[in-house]
């Protein structure tokens, strides 16, 4: 008999996130979503909420600091995942700004607990707290009160029969040292880094109890569909049957070059063709793709510099129109390697 407790893993509905998490979010887990303002925390939380919430799993979304809920909703409604039909019955918003402005932390705690008991949600979100450090920097009194409050809130959130999320404006450096880490079952860190001159969004699973999650930082993008993650993974090592035998040479489409190469390029290898502008790189590439097409093998051409109209010669054009070759084109300045590969 298998005595292991099988914790129910819920798929999050966020493209790529379940791969990062090692399956999904475990039921009744307490999770922290951390990151600087604008890093995508509220968007990620909403995307998960709209994917998981329904009549049998209701969601409570508490807004605390920052933008008033109406303003937040206006922005969130622009995402495709936003489903107004779920709001009120399955998803309810509670604004705690007034309670908190009074500075009465224990009152806020009681209010949250009361709302949770009354609505019996399967999902609870609290969005969001400025970091304790930031409050201290601003000379705010009651830092230890706030710290105690967040710790206490975290402890309560772990005790509810719900999957819970605390969203916090933490700078990357503070995350690991934050005392909330010890009570959290899961911790996701979001950031928006500048690499070269481009801005690249990164997500990192700092912690996910009991799950073999992926390590390291993974690129993600936000568009009208919300968050999409491109997990950084090694391609599978298994070789296609034709690649496991002795190296097979394949024709490049240029007989003289094949003769110089001892029969062509070794199948499955990567070759780099370099040369100045006008030296024949695209012509050579086109010949290779055309030779593949003649032998019934489809090709892919990815281009980054030129637009397709400049790149395409008549032969390449015919290959693409004939569906023998697929064109992957990108002119974006901020693409990551993972995104291009995907
Ligand atoms: N349609 C969109 N396309 C691309 N990026 C978007 C879109 N909508 C919002 N964003 C990005 O998402 C960010 C907002 O994320 P948000 O979840 O509010 O962050 P946080 O809650 O961490 O402060 C914006 O700063 C913007 O860069
Ligand atoms: Mg936010």
């Amino acid at each position: 008999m298998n005595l292991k407790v099988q914790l129910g893993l819920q798929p999050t509905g966020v493209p790529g996130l379940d791969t990062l998490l090692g399956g999904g979010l475990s039921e009744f887990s307490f999770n922290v979503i951390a990151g600087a303002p604008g890093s995508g925390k509220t968007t990620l939380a909403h995307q998960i909420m709209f994917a998981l919430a329904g009549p049998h799993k209701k969601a409570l979304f508490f807004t605390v600091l920052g933008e008033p809920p109406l303003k937040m909703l206006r922005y969130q409604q622009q995402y495709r995942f936003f489903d107004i039909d779920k709001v009120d019955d399955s998803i309810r918003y509670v604004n705690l700004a007034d309670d908190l402005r009074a500075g009465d932390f224990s009152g806020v705690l009681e209010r949250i607990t009361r709302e949770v008991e009354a609505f019996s949600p399967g999902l609870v979100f609290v969005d969001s707290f400025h970091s304790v450090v930031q409050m201290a920097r601003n000379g705010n009194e009651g830092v230890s009160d706030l710290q105690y409050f967040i710790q206490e809130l975290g402890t309560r959130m772990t005790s509810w029969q719900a999957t819970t999320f605390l969203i916090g404006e933490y700078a990357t450096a503070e995350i690991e040292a934050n005392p909330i880490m010890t009570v959290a079952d899961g911790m996701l860190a979001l950031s928006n880094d500048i690499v070269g001159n481009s801005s690249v969004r990164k997500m990192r699973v700092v912690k996910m109890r009991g799950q073999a999650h992926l390590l390291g930082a993974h690129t993600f993008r936000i568009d009208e569909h919300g968050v999409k993650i491109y997990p950084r993974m090694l391609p599978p090592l298994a070789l296609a049957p034709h690649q496991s035998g002795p190296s097979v040479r394949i024709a490049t489409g240029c007989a003289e070059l094949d003769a110089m190469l001892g029969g062509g390029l070794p199948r499955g290898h990567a070759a780099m063709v370099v040369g100045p502008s006008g030296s024949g790189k695209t012509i050579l590439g086109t010949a290779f793709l055309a030779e593949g097409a003649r032998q019934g093998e489809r090709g892919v051409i990815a281009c980054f510099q030129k637009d397709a109209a400049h790149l395409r010669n008549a032969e390449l054009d015919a290959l693409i129109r004939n569906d023998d070759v697929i064109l992957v084109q990108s002119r974006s300045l901020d693409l990551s390697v993972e995104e291009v590969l995907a």
Side-chain angles (χ1 to χ4, degrees):
M1 199 168 76
N2 186 3
L3 289 176
K4 266 193 191 162
V5 181
Q6 192 63 50
L7 295 170
L9 283 187
Q10 317 166 78
T12 59
V14 180
L17 183 57
D18 297 338
T19 306
L20 230 65
L21 297 174
L25 282 167
S26 58
E27 199 137 35
F28 309 145
S29 58
F30 165 51
N31 305 281
V32 176
I33 301 177
S39 58
K41 304 179 297 298
T42 302
T43 303
L44 180 67
H46 271 81
Q47 204 171 340
I48 294 172
M49 177 168 73
F50 277 95
L52 294 181
H56 303 294
K57 186 175 283 193
K58 295 187 290 181
L60 255 187
F61 198 104
F62 293 97
T63 54
V64 185
L65 288 179
E67 34 194 4
L70 266 179
K71 190 171 169 201
M72 180 193 71
L73 272 180
R74 215 167 37 238
Y75 286 119
Q76 291 300 319
Q77 273 176 38
Q78 300 187 2
Y79 292 113
R80 301 274 176 84
F81 58 74
F82 195 95
D83 179 1
I84 193 75
D85 292 341
K86 287 192 177 178
V87 179
D88 283 347
D89 292 335
S90 300
I91 294 174
R92 218 164 266 181
Y93 290 91
V94 178
N95 183 9
L96 297 172
D98 287 338
D99 305 65
L100 203 66
R101 214 167 286 128
D104 173 16
F105 287 132
S106 60
V108 175
L109 214 50
E110 289 324 309
R111 170 94 196 273
I112 293 177
T113 308
R114 241 185 301 122
E115 298 279 357
V116 168
E117 279 166 3
F119 194 55
S120 310
L123 298 159
V124 178
F125 297 82
V126 180
D127 181 12
S128 68
F129 287 98
H130 286 302
S131 70
V132 173
V133 172
Q134 196 176 335
M135 297 279 279
R137 223 180 278 130
N138 296 344
N140 199 308
E141 296 296 307
V143 166
S144 58
D145 283 355
L146 177 65
Q147 180 135 32
Y148 170 79
F149 163 70
I150 293 178
Q151 206 64 21
E152 182 60 28
L153 176 61
T155 308
R156 289 208 190 182
M157 289 175 89
T158 56
S159 72
W160 295 327
Q161 299 277 317
T163 311
T164 58
F165 299 83
L166 182 65
I167 299 161
E169 317 250 275
Y170 298 109
T172 319
E174 306 167 49
I175 291 170
E176 234 98 36
N178 201 286
I180 200 81
M181 265 293 276
T182 53
V183 273
D185 299 302
M187 163 90 79
L188 284 172
L190 277 52
S191 65
N192 198 357
D193 306 334
I194 299 297
V195 180
N197 285 326
S198 318
S199 136
V200 181
R201 294 184 188 277
K202 297 273 185 186
M203 191 180 300
R204 186 164 68 94
V205 182
V206 181
K207 170 180 184 181
M208 199 51 61
R209 247 177 216 158
Q211 279 166 248
H213 61 84
L214 295 188
L215 299 171
H218 302 263
T219 308
F220 72 98
R221 183 170 282 277
I222 300 178
D223 64 14
E224 73 270 22
H225 298 280
V227 168
K228 180 172 184 181
I229 304 156
Y230 298 89
R232 194 170 40 81
M233 294 173 88
L234 290 172
L237 268 181
L239 292 173
H242 66 258
Q243 287 176 299
S244 54
S247 138
V248 174
R249 299 279 168 160
I250 55 171
T252 62
C254 173
E256 296 79 2
L257 181 60
D258 291 343
M260 288 161 70
L261 289 168
L265 289 168
R267 187 191 285 274
H269 282 215
M272 175 142 58
V273 179
V274 292
S277 170
S279 58
K281 303 180 296 297
T282 304
I283 303 270
L284 188 63
T286 303
F288 181 63
L289 288 166
E291 179 61 28
R294 258 192 299 282
Q295 304 199 12
E297 283 204 39
R298 300 174 80 202
V300 174
I301 181 162
C303 62
F304 304 98
Q305 299 285 339
K306 301 181 177 181
D307 60 62
H310 278 102
L311 178 88
R312 282 154 83 158
N313 49 56
E315 192 171 11
L316 186 55
D317 227 25
L319 288 168
I320 292 169
R321 260 186 289 109
N322 211 23
D323 221 20
D324 286 325
V325 169
I326 290 165
L327 174 70
V328 176
Q329 196 178 220
S330 170
R331 301 259 302 144
S332 177
L333 288 173
D334 59 355
L335 276 185
S336 67
V337 175
E338 291 79 20
E339 202 169 340
V340 172
L341 279 174

